[in-house]
Amino acid sequence: MAHPKRKWSKARTSRHRSIWKLSVPGFVECPQCHAKMLRRKVCKSCGYLDGKQVIAIGEEA
Ligand SMILES: [Zn+2]
């Protein structure tokens, strides 16, 4: 079986744990308004998806 060559140091383990779940998969920055949004979902703050406005959100207020 595949096996790691050496044990992770305590420092590396804690470093790794500290970043765990910080980079939630599926979250990206909207190219339009740079808000955090779900990947492949319409942006809730500007309504864009794939460079096109899909839903109208109070634009040009
Ligand atoms: Zn957006």
Side-chain angles (χ1 to χ4, degrees):
M1 266 227 284
H3 192 262
K5 215 167 206 174
R6 58 187 83 242
K7 183 182 170 180
W8 273 19
S9 67
K10 283 174 198 163
R12 184 172 175 185
T13 304
S14 59
R15 223 183 303 133
H16 181 76
R17 281 185 184 157
S18 71
I19 57 156
W20 187 76
K21 258 188 181 174
L22 275 185
S23 53
V24 185
F27 270 102
V28 293
E29 196 176 275
C30 173
Q32 293 294 328
C33 65
H34 302 284
K36 285 278 176 287
M37 62 167 210
L38 280 170
R39 195 174 173 80
R40 286 189 289 274
K41 289 272 188 287
V42 178
C43 173
K44 284 198 181 95
S45 32
C46 66
Y48 268 75
L49 176 69
D50 280 338
K52 287 162 287 182
Q53 187 147 32
V54 183
I55 50 172
I57 295 180
E59 42 177 341
E60 279 91 55

